[in-house]
Amino acid sequence: MKTFCGRANPTTGAMEWLEEDENYDYHQEIARSRYADMLHDKDRNVKYYQGIRAAVSRVKERGEKAIVLDIGTGTGLLSMMAASAGADFCYAIEVFKPMANAAVKIVEKNGFSDKIKVINKHSTEVTVGPDGDMQCRANILVTELFDTELIGEGALPTYEHAHKYLVQEGCEAVPHRATVYVQLVESKRMWSWNKLFPVHVEAEDGEKIIVSPSEMENCPGVPSVCDIQLNQMPSSDFTILSDVVTMFSVDFSKPVRSASTYYRVQLEPVKSGKAQIVLSWWDIDMDPSGMINCTMAPYWVKSTSAFQWRDHWMQCVYFLPNEEPVLQGEKVYLTACRDEYSVWYKLQKARGEEENKADVCVESPVCRCQAHLLWNRPRFGELNDQNRTRQYIESLMKVLKTDSVCLCISDGSLLPVLAHYLGAKQLLIKTVAFFFFKFFKANHLEDKIKIIEARPELLTSSHLEDKKISVLVGEPFFTTSLLPWHNLYFWYARTAVTSHLTSNVTVLPQSASLHMMIVEFQDLWRIRSPCGICEGFDVQTMDDMIKNSLNFRESKEAEPHPLWEYPCKSLSDPREVLTFDFRKTVPQHCLSTEGSVNLSRKGKSHGAVLWMEYHLAADIPISTGLIQISNEKGNCEWNPHCKQAVYFFSSVIESETLSDLPSAVTYAINFNTKTGEIAMDFQL
Ligand code: SAH
């Protein structure tokens, strides 16, 4: 059987349906899953084990048999912990077939087949009774169904169902309780991920300001959670406006209600400022006493020095619908609304309680202005980056003349507006037209900039009103790009419109280059490292399965990661490995390079990082990757708006020893101009 998977083609910018092996989807799922990361989360594992032992003892002390229901068993880990702790029987439910199969093997290998029954079903399909999946209801409920937002993976409806049909009243639950915490902050950096700030342009005839349409100013944005490694956010990037407060908690040992609801707390700002962002995280108490606690609290809140890095649970950033000035000591109300799967926030000045209640919003935020559908959060951040804008302005000023006919090819770009203020007559293509109509209107540009809704290869002279293009610009940025070099689609588009360009056309950026550096990650390597033995249980079957899935397609491919969230140090100097000349068309032949980089710093070579740099007009480079190596230790600063490509060296990550460190890494990198993809190979 075959299945079809959508993928953007970097040579056409279009989505294409590729025929894939029927196993493709789940190999992808396993290869990119967070199972390995969870199994490496020592803090989580240890606390689950403690909580499970305590729950089994409590049941045994009551003279009852310990019957465990483990919903979402994954590798079977929590059931094996329960069986080892003396549980009489465990029902291990797992909906994802390849995982359920792996759980059967892992349970058998560890000698628990007589105590653990793996059931490959969604928990809501599980039956109880003499002929059912479960003989009787369980008296211990163990789960790990949480995401960074706690409820995003459907924990609430799953618990609600389990309490109704699968467990006894008064059952023990591990975890026993989850609590969601919030803190109100002001942060220009985070606020810039959801709102477009006015863009200032110093034109010859004075300063111009690009503004957003009013719909955009009042738009709450998209409901999807913004989850980040908040521990990488320096304290200088936000101002704390309130203490940490408990927003709500869920007791998992009692019936759980998943229906939409809201919670409200009163906050007394500790500082005056603009309330913009609600930072949020949760903790779970594994037992009723609250002595076994696993917390996602960020660095400025957590007192323990034993810090657990994890990527499967991070912290949430919520954007208030509008920024709200608050005064120190003057109380405000913060409301958390939630449906079954997501949470959103609203802040109100303390008024009459009744008035406030009437105001509670129950629908989740939806983008009304279209901009949040066009620009994701990092893209908002990029467009709001004044330094970057200044570099584009400077370059545009160098190349634009008053009679320039300018064509912009980039998704949702503000370059046409900049170009207009800097004096060009221009046209624009390849963008989401609907939003841009409104945007141009707000800036009185609707008759100054023309939107051409045609793919570059279908561009005709009539689109261009029979003019030839003298300046072709792009950022380049395309929403379908996954890896840094996919934005080379600009080069393909430039090639497609060649017949419409003047003979001495200026292309901006004039060229791009691919850069590479060997790094040692502080933590990110863990997501690709095997687990072997986890809390005494052999989970190697899981490692083999992940490896097999990686080999299925992707092992020789790089993967995108926003490295500002994942500290690393450079082991080699950064090196430019390929260049792409946008002044010329895409060549027929492949571009390849090979070489060797010296490892000048001591450390484990976890992988190579690759990124693109664009050369705007002469001497103005824009890096989408490395900004600088900050100190002698080699710590790196990365572009905060972009993802970089990471190619992991599995042989290094899998080896335990640090003995023979290589002194150089050789590489072979090939850009296939037919497919727009880059293949690479490294030898240590
Ligand atoms: N318990 C394991 C794995 C947790 S990951 C551990 O702690 O290491 C969560 C798993 O739950 C995933 O494998 C997912 O497929 C499964 N899952 C989520 N909701 C489920 C449900 N309602 N019924 C059955 N499986 C579920």
Side-chain angles (χ1 to χ4, degrees), residues 29 34-35 38-39 44-45 48 70-79 93-97 99 119-124 126 142-146 153-155 157-159:
E29 183 136 341
R34 297 180 166 182
Y35 290 110
M38 288 180 325
L39 295 172
R44 174 198 89 120
N45 300 340
Y48 260 98
D70 170 10
I71 303 182
T73 199
T75 52
L77 179 70
L78 305 183
S79 287
I93 321 294
E94 175 54 56
V95 65
F96 185 39
K97 185 148 202 320
M99 274 319 300
I119 301 166
N120 177 208
K121 277 189 176 180
H122 192 268
S123 60
T124 52
V126 169
V142 176
T143 76
E144 201 274 62
L145 300 166
F146 315 115
E153 280 170 13
T158 294
Y159 271 108

mmCIF file of all heavy atoms in Angstrom, residues 29 34-35 38-39 44-45 48 70-79 93-97 99 119-124 126 142-146 153-155 157-159, ligand 1:
data_model
loop_
_atom_site.group_PDB
_atom_site.id
_atom_site.type_symbol
_atom_site.label_atom_id
_atom_site.label_comp_id
_atom_site.label_asym_id
_atom_site.label_seq_id
_atom_site.Cartn_x
_atom_site.Cartn_y
_atom_site.Cartn_z
ATOM 1 N N GLU A 29 6.721 9.682 12.519
ATOM 2 C CA GLU A 29 6.251 9.940 13.869
ATOM 3 C C GLU A 29 7.247 9.425 14.911
ATOM 4 O O GLU A 29 7.545 10.090 15.888
ATOM 5 C CB GLU A 29 4.887 9.277 14.060
ATOM 6 C CG GLU A 29 4.299 9.558 15.396
ATOM 7 C CD GLU A 29 2.820 9.912 15.298
ATOM 8 O OE1 GLU A 29 2.369 10.275 14.204
ATOM 9 O OE2 GLU A 29 2.151 9.800 16.311
ATOM 10 N N ARG A 34 8.959 12.336 20.722
ATOM 11 C CA ARG A 34 9.598 12.769 21.959
ATOM 12 C C ARG A 34 9.791 11.593 22.912
ATOM 13 O O ARG A 34 10.103 11.801 24.075
ATOM 14 C CB ARG A 34 8.749 13.852 22.582
ATOM 15 C CG ARG A 34 8.699 15.034 21.633
ATOM 16 C CD ARG A 34 7.911 16.172 22.107
ATOM 17 N NE ARG A 34 8.248 17.322 21.261
ATOM 18 C CZ ARG A 34 7.751 18.518 21.420
ATOM 19 N NH1 ARG A 34 6.902 18.746 22.378
ATOM 20 N NH2 ARG A 34 8.096 19.494 20.617
ATOM 21 N N TYR A 35 9.579 10.363 22.429
ATOM 22 C CA TYR A 35 9.721 9.215 23.333
ATOM 23 C C TYR A 35 11.111 9.171 23.946
ATOM 24 O O TYR A 35 11.264 8.994 25.154
ATOM 25 C CB TYR A 35 9.445 7.905 22.605
ATOM 26 C CG TYR A 35 7.996 7.699 22.235
ATOM 27 C CD1 TYR A 35 7.587 7.744 20.913
ATOM 28 C CD2 TYR A 35 7.032 7.464 23.223
ATOM 29 C CE1 TYR A 35 6.253 7.558 20.573
ATOM 30 C CE2 TYR A 35 5.700 7.279 22.891
ATOM 31 C CZ TYR A 35 5.307 7.324 21.562
ATOM 32 O OH TYR A 35 3.999 7.146 21.233
ATOM 33 N N MET A 38 11.610 11.750 26.559
ATOM 34 C CA MET A 38 10.918 11.420 27.812
ATOM 35 C C MET A 38 11.707 10.393 28.608
ATOM 36 O O MET A 38 11.814 10.470 29.822
ATOM 37 C CB MET A 38 9.535 10.821 27.520
ATOM 38 C CG MET A 38 8.552 11.841 27.024
ATOM 39 S SD MET A 38 6.917 11.196 26.652
ATOM 40 C CE MET A 38 7.201 9.609 26.012
ATOM 41 N N LEU A 39 12.240 9.405 27.885
ATOM 42 C CA LEU A 39 12.972 8.347 28.587
ATOM 43 C C LEU A 39 14.283 8.873 29.177
ATOM 44 O O LEU A 39 14.816 8.313 30.121
ATOM 45 C CB LEU A 39 13.236 7.167 27.641
ATOM 46 C CG LEU A 39 11.963 6.436 27.170
ATOM 47 C CD1 LEU A 39 12.291 5.414 26.098
ATOM 48 C CD2 LEU A 39 11.244 5.768 28.332
ATOM 49 N N ARG A 44 11.736 13.191 35.749
ATOM 50 C CA ARG A 44 10.377 12.699 35.539
ATOM 51 C C ARG A 44 10.296 11.217 35.904
ATOM 52 O O ARG A 44 9.407 10.787 36.651
ATOM 53 C CB ARG A 44 10.006 12.884 34.055
ATOM 54 C CG ARG A 44 8.679 12.289 33.649
ATOM 55 C CD ARG A 44 8.574 12.101 32.123
ATOM 56 N NE ARG A 44 9.076 10.799 31.720
ATOM 57 C CZ ARG A 44 8.359 9.857 31.089
ATOM 58 N NH1 ARG A 44 7.109 10.089 30.782
ATOM 59 N NH2 ARG A 44 8.909 8.697 30.762
ATOM 60 N N ASN A 45 11.232 10.423 35.389
ATOM 61 C CA ASN A 45 11.174 8.974 35.588
ATOM 62 C C ASN A 45 11.256 8.609 37.073
ATOM 63 O O ASN A 45 10.476 7.801 37.573
ATOM 64 C CB ASN A 45 12.315 8.283 34.836
ATOM 65 C CG ASN A 45 12.238 8.541 33.340
ATOM 66 O OD1 ASN A 45 11.171 8.906 32.825
ATOM 67 N ND2 ASN A 45 13.346 8.368 32.641
ATOM 68 N N TYR A 48 8.025 9.600 38.874
ATOM 69 C CA TYR A 48 6.936 8.675 38.563
ATOM 70 C C TYR A 48 7.107 7.377 39.351
ATOM 71 O O TYR A 48 6.156 6.844 39.927
ATOM 72 C CB TYR A 48 6.879 8.366 37.053
ATOM 73 C CG TYR A 48 5.824 9.174 36.324
ATOM 74 C CD1 TYR A 48 6.165 10.329 35.638
ATOM 75 C CD2 TYR A 48 4.481 8.791 36.330
ATOM 76 C CE1 TYR A 48 5.200 11.080 34.983
ATOM 77 C CE2 TYR A 48 3.508 9.535 35.677
ATOM 78 C CZ TYR A 48 3.869 10.675 35.003
ATOM 79 O OH TYR A 48 2.906 11.414 34.369
ATOM 80 N N ASP A 70 -2.786 1.926 33.013
ATOM 81 C CA ASP A 70 -1.746 2.844 32.519
ATOM 82 C C ASP A 70 -2.204 3.316 31.137
ATOM 83 O O ASP A 70 -2.132 2.567 30.162
ATOM 84 C CB ASP A 70 -0.413 2.070 32.460
ATOM 85 C CG ASP A 70 0.705 2.821 31.736
ATOM 86 O OD1 ASP A 70 0.542 4.018 31.439
ATOM 87 O OD2 ASP A 70 1.755 2.191 31.478
ATOM 88 N N ILE A 71 -2.706 4.535 31.065
ATOM 89 C CA ILE A 71 -3.215 5.030 29.770
ATOM 90 C C ILE A 71 -2.094 5.731 29.017
ATOM 91 O O ILE A 71 -1.496 6.672 29.531
ATOM 92 C CB ILE A 71 -4.413 5.987 29.960
ATOM 93 C CG1 ILE A 71 -5.531 5.292 30.733
ATOM 94 C CG2 ILE A 71 -4.924 6.469 28.603
ATOM 95 C CD1 ILE A 71 -6.771 6.152 30.933
ATOM 96 N N GLY A 72 -1.833 5.254 27.803
ATOM 97 C CA GLY A 72 -0.753 5.812 26.991
ATOM 98 C C GLY A 72 0.572 5.258 27.473
ATOM 99 O O GLY A 72 1.464 5.991 27.880
ATOM 100 N N THR A 73 0.699 3.944 27.386
ATOM 101 C CA THR A 73 1.853 3.284 28.026
ATOM 102 C C THR A 73 3.163 3.507 27.285
ATOM 103 O O THR A 73 4.233 3.376 27.866
ATOM 104 C CB THR A 73 1.558 1.786 28.216
ATOM 105 O OG1 THR A 73 2.448 1.267 29.200
ATOM 106 C CG2 THR A 73 1.742 0.997 26.921
ATOM 107 N N GLY A 74 3.099 3.856 25.998
ATOM 108 C CA GLY A 74 4.350 4.065 25.239
ATOM 109 C C GLY A 74 5.188 2.812 25.246
ATOM 110 O O GLY A 74 4.778 1.758 24.758
ATOM 111 N N THR A 75 6.378 2.891 25.855
ATOM 112 C CA THR A 75 7.275 1.736 25.942
ATOM 113 C C THR A 75 6.819 0.729 26.996
ATOM 114 O O THR A 75 7.433 -0.322 27.138
ATOM 115 C CB THR A 75 8.676 2.193 26.373
ATOM 116 O OG1 THR A 75 8.506 2.982 27.565
ATOM 117 C CG2 THR A 75 9.354 3.002 25.305
ATOM 118 N N GLY A 76 5.818 1.077 27.791
ATOM 119 C CA GLY A 76 5.401 0.208 28.890
ATOM 120 C C GLY A 76 6.089 0.568 30.192
ATOM 121 O O GLY A 76 5.900 -0.088 31.226
ATOM 122 N N LEU A 77 6.862 1.636 30.154
ATOM 123 C CA LEU A 77 7.710 1.987 31.300
ATOM 124 C C LEU A 77 6.942 2.092 32.624
ATOM 125 O O LEU A 77 7.327 1.479 33.621
ATOM 126 C CB LEU A 77 8.421 3.319 31.007
ATOM 127 C CG LEU A 77 9.332 3.823 32.126
ATOM 128 C CD1 LEU A 77 10.576 2.947 32.251
ATOM 129 C CD2 LEU A 77 9.745 5.274 31.884
ATOM 130 N N LEU A 78 5.845 2.857 32.621
ATOM 131 C CA LEU A 78 5.166 3.101 33.901
ATOM 132 C C LEU A 78 4.491 1.827 34.417
ATOM 133 O O LEU A 78 4.415 1.593 35.627
ATOM 134 C CB LEU A 78 4.167 4.265 33.775
ATOM 135 C CG LEU A 78 4.742 5.593 33.246
ATOM 136 C CD1 LEU A 78 3.670 6.687 33.229
ATOM 137 C CD2 LEU A 78 5.952 6.063 34.060
ATOM 138 N N SER A 79 4.033 0.972 33.502
ATOM 139 C CA SER A 79 3.458 -0.316 33.927
ATOM 140 C C SER A 79 4.533 -1.223 34.522
ATOM 141 O O SER A 79 4.297 -1.928 35.511
ATOM 142 C CB SER A 79 2.802 -1.036 32.742
ATOM 143 O OG SER A 79 1.596 -0.393 32.408
ATOM 144 N N ILE A 93 -2.533 0.612 28.140
ATOM 145 C CA ILE A 93 -3.281 0.999 26.945
ATOM 146 C C ILE A 93 -2.414 1.883 26.057
ATOM 147 O O ILE A 93 -1.823 2.861 26.550
ATOM 148 C CB ILE A 93 -4.563 1.802 27.321
ATOM 149 C CG1 ILE A 93 -5.237 1.252 28.573
ATOM 150 C CG2 ILE A 93 -5.521 1.919 26.152
ATOM 151 C CD1 ILE A 93 -5.804 -0.127 28.437
ATOM 152 N N GLU A 94 -2.349 1.563 24.793
ATOM 153 C CA GLU A 94 -1.591 2.414 23.866
ATOM 154 C C GLU A 94 -2.295 2.421 22.515
ATOM 155 O O GLU A 94 -2.503 1.389 21.893
ATOM 156 C CB GLU A 94 -0.147 1.896 23.726
ATOM 157 C CG GLU A 94 0.698 2.628 22.708
ATOM 158 C CD GLU A 94 0.759 4.145 22.909
ATOM 159 O OE1 GLU A 94 1.144 4.610 23.991
ATOM 160 O OE2 GLU A 94 0.370 4.880 21.964
ATOM 161 N N VAL A 95 -2.619 3.621 22.046
ATOM 162 C CA VAL A 95 -3.389 3.752 20.814
ATOM 163 C C VAL A 95 -2.514 3.625 19.563
ATOM 164 O O VAL A 95 -2.968 3.163 18.523
ATOM 165 C CB VAL A 95 -4.177 5.096 20.818
ATOM 166 C CG1 VAL A 95 -3.238 6.286 20.807
ATOM 167 C CG2 VAL A 95 -5.159 5.164 19.654
ATOM 168 N N PHE A 96 -1.250 4.005 19.674
ATOM 169 C CA PHE A 96 -0.366 4.049 18.499
ATOM 170 C C PHE A 96 0.233 2.657 18.279
ATOM 171 O O PHE A 96 1.001 2.158 19.099
ATOM 172 C CB PHE A 96 0.715 5.105 18.784
ATOM 173 C CG PHE A 96 1.651 5.399 17.657
ATOM 174 C CD1 PHE A 96 1.217 5.464 16.340
ATOM 175 C CD2 PHE A 96 2.987 5.645 17.923
ATOM 176 C CE1 PHE A 96 2.101 5.754 15.306
ATOM 177 C CE2 PHE A 96 3.879 5.939 16.904
ATOM 178 C CZ PHE A 96 3.428 5.992 15.600
ATOM 179 N N LYS A 97 -0.157 2.026 17.180
ATOM 180 C CA LYS A 97 0.146 0.607 16.969
ATOM 181 C C LYS A 97 1.632 0.262 17.070
ATOM 182 O O LYS A 97 1.993 -0.671 17.799
ATOM 183 C CB LYS A 97 -0.425 0.153 15.622
ATOM 184 C CG LYS A 97 -0.278 -1.316 15.358
ATOM 185 C CD LYS A 97 -1.435 -1.833 14.524
ATOM 186 C CE LYS A 97 -1.686 -3.284 14.605
ATOM 187 N NZ LYS A 97 -0.738 -4.260 14.643
ATOM 188 N N MET A 99 3.919 1.623 18.696
ATOM 189 C CA MET A 99 4.344 1.712 20.095
ATOM 190 C C MET A 99 3.777 0.548 20.897
ATOM 191 O O MET A 99 4.465 -0.018 21.741
ATOM 192 C CB MET A 99 3.861 3.028 20.727
ATOM 193 C CG MET A 99 4.751 4.214 20.526
ATOM 194 S SD MET A 99 6.506 3.919 20.687
ATOM 195 C CE MET A 99 6.607 3.338 22.353
ATOM 196 N N ILE A 119 -2.779 -3.309 25.579
ATOM 197 C CA ILE A 119 -4.003 -3.237 24.781
ATOM 198 C C ILE A 119 -3.852 -2.120 23.758
ATOM 199 O O ILE A 119 -3.700 -0.956 24.128
ATOM 200 C CB ILE A 119 -5.230 -2.978 25.686
ATOM 201 C CG1 ILE A 119 -5.352 -4.101 26.724
ATOM 202 C CG2 ILE A 119 -6.509 -2.851 24.859
ATOM 203 C CD1 ILE A 119 -6.306 -3.793 27.871
ATOM 204 N N ASN A 120 -3.862 -2.499 22.497
ATOM 205 C CA ASN A 120 -3.670 -1.505 21.438
ATOM 206 C C ASN A 120 -5.007 -0.852 21.073
ATOM 207 O O ASN A 120 -5.643 -1.188 20.091
ATOM 208 C CB ASN A 120 -3.028 -2.181 20.212
ATOM 209 C CG ASN A 120 -2.871 -1.231 19.036
ATOM 210 O OD1 ASN A 120 -2.869 -1.664 17.896
ATOM 211 N ND2 ASN A 120 -2.746 0.050 19.290
ATOM 212 N N LYS A 121 -5.427 0.092 21.911
ATOM 213 C CA LYS A 121 -6.693 0.790 21.684
ATOM 214 C C LYS A 121 -6.581 2.192 22.230
ATOM 215 O O LYS A 121 -5.726 2.473 23.073
ATOM 216 C CB LYS A 121 -7.819 0.093 22.466
ATOM 217 C CG LYS A 121 -8.417 -1.110 21.786
ATOM 218 C CD LYS A 121 -9.646 -1.550 22.557
ATOM 219 C CE LYS A 121 -10.332 -2.716 21.836
ATOM 220 N NZ LYS A 121 -11.530 -3.143 22.576
ATOM 221 N N HIS A 122 -7.472 3.040 21.794
ATOM 222 C CA HIS A 122 -7.645 4.316 22.470
ATOM 223 C C HIS A 122 -8.387 3.999 23.762
ATOM 224 O O HIS A 122 -9.259 3.129 23.780
ATOM 225 C CB HIS A 122 -8.453 5.288 21.603
ATOM 226 C CG HIS A 122 -8.421 6.692 22.121
ATOM 227 N ND1 HIS A 122 -9.362 7.179 22.983
ATOM 228 C CD2 HIS A 122 -7.524 7.691 21.915
ATOM 229 C CE1 HIS A 122 -9.055 8.439 23.282
ATOM 230 N NE2 HIS A 122 -7.952 8.774 22.651
ATOM 231 N N SER A 123 -8.064 4.698 24.825
ATOM 232 C CA SER A 123 -8.654 4.336 26.122
ATOM 233 C C SER A 123 -10.184 4.383 26.091
ATOM 234 O O SER A 123 -10.842 3.624 26.805
ATOM 235 C CB SER A 123 -8.117 5.251 27.221
ATOM 236 O OG SER A 123 -8.433 6.596 26.937
ATOM 237 N N THR A 124 -10.734 5.258 25.263
ATOM 238 C CA THR A 124 -12.200 5.367 25.234
ATOM 239 C C THR A 124 -12.859 4.170 24.545
ATOM 240 O O THR A 124 -14.076 4.039 24.568
ATOM 241 C CB THR A 124 -12.647 6.670 24.532
ATOM 242 O OG1 THR A 124 -12.001 6.730 23.257
ATOM 243 C CG2 THR A 124 -12.277 7.894 25.343
ATOM 244 N N VAL A 126 -11.779 1.045 25.302
ATOM 245 C CA VAL A 126 -11.475 -0.102 26.164
ATOM 246 C C VAL A 126 -12.751 -0.567 26.889
ATOM 247 O O VAL A 126 -13.541 0.247 27.357
ATOM 248 C CB VAL A 126 -10.369 0.283 27.183
ATOM 249 C CG1 VAL A 126 -10.201 -0.775 28.261
ATOM 250 C CG2 VAL A 126 -9.053 0.515 26.446
ATOM 251 N N VAL A 142 -2.550 5.404 36.249
ATOM 252 C CA VAL A 142 -1.239 5.993 35.960
ATOM 253 C C VAL A 142 -1.276 6.539 34.537
ATOM 254 O O VAL A 142 -1.689 5.826 33.621
ATOM 255 C CB VAL A 142 -0.141 4.904 36.051
ATOM 256 C CG1 VAL A 142 1.214 5.471 35.665
ATOM 257 C CG2 VAL A 142 -0.081 4.314 37.447
ATOM 258 N N THR A 143 -0.877 7.767 34.352
ATOM 259 C CA THR A 143 -0.814 8.277 32.978
ATOM 260 C C THR A 143 0.295 9.307 32.853
ATOM 261 O O THR A 143 0.740 9.910 33.830
ATOM 262 C CB THR A 143 -2.097 9.028 32.532
ATOM 263 O OG1 THR A 143 -2.091 10.298 33.132
ATOM 264 C CG2 THR A 143 -3.362 8.306 32.864
ATOM 265 N N GLU A 144 0.669 9.513 31.615
ATOM 266 C CA GLU A 144 1.561 10.623 31.284
ATOM 267 C C GLU A 144 1.080 11.108 29.930
ATOM 268 O O GLU A 144 1.571 10.681 28.904
ATOM 269 C CB GLU A 144 3.012 10.123 31.247
ATOM 270 C CG GLU A 144 4.021 11.232 31.418
ATOM 271 C CD GLU A 144 4.402 11.927 30.139
ATOM 272 O OE1 GLU A 144 3.506 12.532 29.505
ATOM 273 O OE2 GLU A 144 5.579 11.877 29.787
ATOM 274 N N LEU A 145 0.057 11.933 29.971
ATOM 275 C CA LEU A 145 -0.619 12.373 28.754
ATOM 276 C C LEU A 145 -0.503 13.874 28.589
ATOM 277 O O LEU A 145 -1.371 14.505 28.012
ATOM 278 C CB LEU A 145 -2.114 12.025 28.859
ATOM 279 C CG LEU A 145 -2.466 10.558 29.032
ATOM 280 C CD1 LEU A 145 -3.914 10.418 29.450
ATOM 281 C CD2 LEU A 145 -2.208 9.814 27.740
ATOM 282 N N PHE A 146 0.575 14.452 29.119
ATOM 283 C CA PHE A 146 0.640 15.911 29.191
ATOM 284 C C PHE A 146 1.575 16.486 28.149
ATOM 285 O O PHE A 146 2.599 15.901 27.826
ATOM 286 C CB PHE A 146 1.118 16.337 30.585
ATOM 287 C CG PHE A 146 0.415 15.582 31.676
ATOM 288 C CD1 PHE A 146 1.120 14.725 32.513
ATOM 289 C CD2 PHE A 146 -0.957 15.701 31.829
ATOM 290 C CE1 PHE A 146 0.468 14.013 33.502
ATOM 291 C CE2 PHE A 146 -1.618 14.990 32.821
ATOM 292 C CZ PHE A 146 -0.903 14.133 33.654
ATOM 293 N N GLU A 153 -2.778 17.463 24.748
ATOM 294 C CA GLU A 153 -2.829 16.129 24.138
ATOM 295 C C GLU A 153 -4.083 15.371 24.548
ATOM 296 O O GLU A 153 -4.161 14.151 24.379
ATOM 297 C CB GLU A 153 -1.560 15.334 24.476
ATOM 298 C CG GLU A 153 -0.415 15.756 23.564
ATOM 299 C CD GLU A 153 0.948 15.205 23.950
ATOM 300 O OE1 GLU A 153 1.018 14.283 24.788
ATOM 301 O OE2 GLU A 153 1.939 15.730 23.416
ATOM 302 N N GLY A 154 -5.035 16.069 25.118
ATOM 303 C CA GLY A 154 -6.324 15.438 25.406
ATOM 304 C C GLY A 154 -6.396 14.748 26.752
ATOM 305 O O GLY A 154 -7.211 13.852 26.957
ATOM 306 N N ALA A 155 -5.561 15.174 27.701
ATOM 307 C CA ALA A 155 -5.578 14.537 29.024
ATOM 308 C C ALA A 155 -6.963 14.637 29.669
ATOM 309 O O ALA A 155 -7.442 13.672 30.274
ATOM 310 C CB ALA A 155 -4.517 15.172 29.923
ATOM 311 N N PRO A 157 -10.308 14.969 28.511
ATOM 312 C CA PRO A 157 -11.343 14.010 28.103
ATOM 313 C C PRO A 157 -10.962 12.558 28.409
ATOM 314 O O PRO A 157 -11.831 11.734 28.748
ATOM 315 C CB PRO A 157 -11.495 14.227 26.592
ATOM 316 C CG PRO A 157 -10.584 15.318 26.201
ATOM 317 C CD PRO A 157 -9.918 15.869 27.408
ATOM 318 N N THR A 158 -9.668 12.249 28.314
ATOM 319 C CA THR A 158 -9.236 10.883 28.622
ATOM 320 C C THR A 158 -9.496 10.554 30.098
ATOM 321 O O THR A 158 -10.023 9.492 30.437
ATOM 322 C CB THR A 158 -7.742 10.695 28.269
ATOM 323 O OG1 THR A 158 -7.613 10.802 26.850
ATOM 324 C CG2 THR A 158 -7.209 9.353 28.725
ATOM 325 N N TYR A 159 -9.145 11.495 30.995
ATOM 326 C CA TYR A 159 -9.403 11.282 32.425
ATOM 327 C C TYR A 159 -10.903 11.219 32.709
ATOM 328 O O TYR A 159 -11.365 10.420 33.513
ATOM 329 C CB TYR A 159 -8.794 12.412 33.256
ATOM 330 C CG TYR A 159 -7.360 12.147 33.672
ATOM 331 C CD1 TYR A 159 -6.306 12.839 33.106
ATOM 332 C CD2 TYR A 159 -7.077 11.198 34.658
ATOM 333 C CE1 TYR A 159 -4.990 12.605 33.499
ATOM 334 C CE2 TYR A 159 -5.773 10.960 35.057
ATOM 335 C CZ TYR A 159 -4.730 11.672 34.476
ATOM 336 O OH TYR A 159 -3.447 11.428 34.869
HETATM 337 N N1 SAH B 1 3.730 6.302 29.453
HETATM 338 C C1 SAH B 1 4.907 6.427 28.624
HETATM 339 C C2 SAH B 1 4.637 7.158 27.329
HETATM 340 C C3 SAH B 1 3.969 8.494 27.452
HETATM 341 S S1 SAH B 1 3.695 9.282 25.921
HETATM 342 C C4 SAH B 1 6.004 7.092 29.411
HETATM 343 O O1 SAH B 1 5.670 7.762 30.371
HETATM 344 O O2 SAH B 1 7.163 6.963 29.076
HETATM 345 C C5 SAH B 1 1.964 9.241 25.765
HETATM 346 C C6 SAH B 1 1.461 8.046 24.986
HETATM 347 O O3 SAH B 1 0.071 7.978 25.177
HETATM 348 C C7 SAH B 1 1.647 8.109 23.499
HETATM 349 O O4 SAH B 1 2.277 6.926 23.102
HETATM 350 C C8 SAH B 1 0.232 8.201 22.919
HETATM 351 O O5 SAH B 1 0.117 7.480 21.696
HETATM 352 C C9 SAH B 1 -0.592 7.565 23.995
HETATM 353 N N2 SAH B 1 -1.992 8.009 24.194
HETATM 354 C C10 SAH B 1 -2.411 9.277 24.388
HETATM 355 N N3 SAH B 1 -3.719 9.324 24.668
HETATM 356 C C11 SAH B 1 -4.158 8.035 24.677
HETATM 357 C C12 SAH B 1 -5.424 7.432 24.937
HETATM 358 N N4 SAH B 1 -6.484 8.162 25.284
HETATM 359 N N5 SAH B 1 -5.514 6.100 24.830
HETATM 360 C C13 SAH B 1 -4.429 5.344 24.521
HETATM 361 N N6 SAH B 1 -3.208 5.863 24.279
HETATM 362 C C14 SAH B 1 -3.063 7.193 24.367
#
